[in-house]
Amino acid sequence: MKNLIVCCFLLLGLASYAQESTGISGASTSTVSYAIGDLEKMDKMELTKIYISKLSRLNNIIIYVPFLKLEPKNPSDIKIPTTKSNESDMKKLASSLKDHNATLEDALGGLTPYADKKQIIDSILFLQNVINKIELIGLGVNSLGF
């Protein structure tokens, strides 16, 4: 039960951070699949926010891929045993992700608008495809709230 509570806490924290870190309305920008035509209608600042949101989402899910059983239904499906050391490591990881994504958001928020609009769009589509591939292989990351 303690394992479930700790995992829920960490996962909800990561999910809420992913929503807050981009300054965009929730995780919707990180979970929405955009069509190229919709992206082409946006300005570079909107595209930059979407790019950073997608990158943050990928950072938040990719590190957990080796720890997940196929199609997890709840946080207790993560294969990490509950120990004080593991709980400490999970907290460090969550903190590190938060700091890393904040640094990315800060730096890329100022730099990405200098990129060619087509390159930003291509980058968004690439990240979107990578995230979709992770979800399609049956890892069920969405069901865990990442």
Side-chain angles (χ1 to χ4, degrees):
M1 183 63 163
K2 184 178 176 186
N3 185 27
L4 178 62
I5 292 169
V6 169
C7 285
C8 284
F9 173 73
L10 290 172
L11 297 175
L12 290 174
L14 287 173
S16 66
Y17 173 72
Q19 293 174 2
E20 294 169 8
S21 69
T22 61
I24 305 170
S25 177
S28 61
T29 54
S30 66
T31 58
V32 169
S33 288
Y34 292 92
I36 192 166
D38 294 332
L39 293 171
E40 288 172 341
K41 294 175 188 173
M42 297 179 188
D43 65 32
K44 282 187 178 183
M45 292 309 294
E46 291 173 300
L47 293 171
T48 296
K49 289 178 183 178
I50 293 169
Y51 170 70
I52 292 169
S53 176
K54 294 281 186 191
L55 188 57
S56 293
R57 182 158 198 288
L58 182 60
N59 286 335
N60 287 340
I61 63 174
I62 201 153
I63 60 167
Y64 292 104
V65 170
F67 304 107
L68 300 175
K69 295 177 184 175
L70 291 180
E71 300 182 37
K73 301 299 180 206
N74 61 57
S76 66
D77 285 346
I78 293 178
K79 299 188 248 181
I80 301 171
T82 302
T83 66
K84 287 184 181 187
S85 176
N86 289 350
E87 289 175 11
S88 173
D89 289 343
M90 291 294 287
K91 287 179 185 176
K92 287 179 193 173
L93 184 57
S95 176
S96 174
L97 275 171
K98 181 178 178 180
D99 293 344
H100 179 72
N101 285 339
T103 300
L104 282 177
E105 180 179 351
D106 185 46
L108 290 175
L111 296 173
T112 303
Y114 291 108
D116 181 64
K117 183 175 178 177
K118 181 184 179 328
Q119 294 303 108
I120 301 171
I121 291 170
D122 289 347
S123 297
I124 291 168
L125 294 173
F126 173 78
L127 291 172
Q128 184 171 281
N129 285 333
V130 171
I131 291 167
N132 289 342
K133 294 278 186 203
I134 291 171
E135 293 169 351
L136 286 175
I137 61 173
L139 294 176
V141 174
N142 275 337
S143 67
L144 294 177
F146 291 118

